[in-house]
Amino acid sequence: MRVDIVSIFPEYFAPLDLSLIGRAREQGLLRLAVHDLRDWTHDVHRTVDDTPYGGGPGMVMRPEPWGEALDALAPDELAPDGLTLPRLLVPSPAGAPFTQALAHELAAESHLLFACGRYEGIDQRVLDHAATRLKVTEVSLGDYVLFGGEVAVLVILEAVTRLLPGVLGNAGSLDDESHAHGLLEAPMYTKPASWRGHEVPDVLRSGDHGRIARWRRDEALTRTARRRPDMIAALSPEILDKRDVAA
Ligand SMILES: CN1CCCC[C@@H]1Cn1ccc2ccc(-c3n[nH]c(N)c3C#N)cc21
């Protein structure tokens, strides 16, 4: 997967050299490039913002630098290095909720292009024009307000990269994690068996894999019902009716 990120704070993405994302890049599973939007300005002050039409507080990101950046990073013709037309992701509090389902959808793309807004946001015409030739998705992390899109890109990129084949050593670890099947994950334990008077549930030490799987499924259902009743309502019937969870 190729990923391009455009931001006025490219240094925000230094953490992408670390951990599993850094290793995915070394393994060639992820080709990532971060670009400074100001490289597409032409004035001495490298201006990227201006006052909003219609008045109001703050500044809006100018369309010209964004237009040139997207032209350069999403060229109409197939570039010599195999650049395909990317899917444009624009973090925004007005975007569609970012979910595990969307993470899986994005993990299937060959080229993602992230546009990180700041100030009051990006001039709407940038997105409207991009949509004439790219798939554009405005996406939101949640119902709260951040300073800009960079944090959202870090979150989205981590959620997507871990789904790429070969990134997680034990792909099985994706199977029962929270949100993998519409449920929260069951509680997890490790040694010692007894810690400050708290014991590991006996079933997990029984060696009976069928019982353990059923216990984990029941715990996941109980935890989800208590903490996220909205997820229970959205469960597919087969998950609720699943009788034998043993493999
Ligand atoms: C504060 N300021 C005036 C009100 C509108 C937003 C603006 C700040 N801002 C500028 C670009 C930008 C992109 C994403 C987000 C964002 N906030 N919350 C989320 N879940 C987000 C995502 N994903 C915020 C952004």
Side-chain angles (χ1 to χ4, degrees):
M1 174 183 282
R2 175 177 181 85
V3 173
D4 287 292
I5 304 171
V6 183
S7 167
I8 60 172
F9 296 118
E11 60 277 12
Y12 224 99
F13 298 98
L16 295 179
D17 295 332
L18 307 171
S19 185
L20 287 179
I21 291 187
R23 195 173 69 186
R25 295 174 70 183
E26 288 165 9
Q27 293 170 319
L29 299 171
L30 177 68
R31 290 182 295 142
L32 185 138
V34 183
H35 311 271
D36 186 341
L37 178 67
R38 296 186 195 275
D39 289 348
W40 285 282
T41 61
H42 306 290
D43 64 301
V44 67
H45 298 297
R46 312 186 82 200
T47 310
V48 293
D49 62 313
D50 206 332
T51 53
Y53 274 116
M59 304 291 274
V60 175
M61 299 193 93
R62 295 170 53 230
E64 299 95 329
W66 278 112
E68 291 186 32
L70 300 186
D71 288 348
L73 297 171
D76 280 325
E77 67 287 347
L78 191 61
D81 66 354
L83 264 183
T84 56
L85 269 184
R87 179 164 178 178
L88 179 60
L89 280 301
V90 185
S92 162
F98 179 63
T99 62
Q100 190 68 6
L102 181 52
H104 278 284
E105 189 182 314
L106 298 180
E109 298 280 355
S110 58
H111 186 186
L112 299 179
L113 173 51
F114 289 94
C116 296
R118 280 273 159 170
Y119 307 103
E120 297 302 307
I122 301 172
D123 185 301
Q124 182 60 41
R125 291 169 293 179
V126 173
L127 283 70
D128 295 346
H129 181 71
T132 65
R133 60 194 196 91
L134 302 174
K135 183 175 175 63
V136 180
T137 306
E138 286 188 74
V139 59
S140 169
L141 284 193
D143 295 339
Y144 41 82
V145 183
L146 302 170
F147 280 122
E150 285 80 5
V151 166
V153 171
L154 286 171
V155 168
I156 294 166
L157 209 43
E158 180 157 319
V160 170
T161 302
R162 64 192 301 279
L163 298 176
L164 298 178
V167 171
L168 280 190
N170 168 18
S173 60
L174 291 173
D175 293 344
D176 292 323
E177 63 185 8
S178 288
H179 306 287
H181 296 299
L183 287 176
L184 301 181
E185 65 195 25
M188 301 298 286
Y189 302 84
T190 187
K191 294 185 282 298
S194 180
W195 177 75
R196 295 188 181 183
H198 300 277
E199 311 303 320
V200 171
D202 290 336
V203 63
L204 297 180
R205 304 178 65 208
S206 69
D208 181 335
H209 298 295
R211 273 187 66 212
I212 292 170
R214 282 190 295 277
W215 180 87
R216 283 179 168 158
R217 202 282 309 268
D218 292 348
E219 285 294 307
L221 275 169
T222 303
R223 183 180 257 196
T224 306
R226 285 196 186 123
R227 298 180 185 180
R228 291 292 305 276
D230 58 300
M231 290 174 65
I232 292 287
L235 275 183
S236 57
E238 56 270 11
I239 287 278
L240 278 176
D241 294 343
K242 198 172 180 183
R243 296 286 175 246
D244 177 11
V245 293

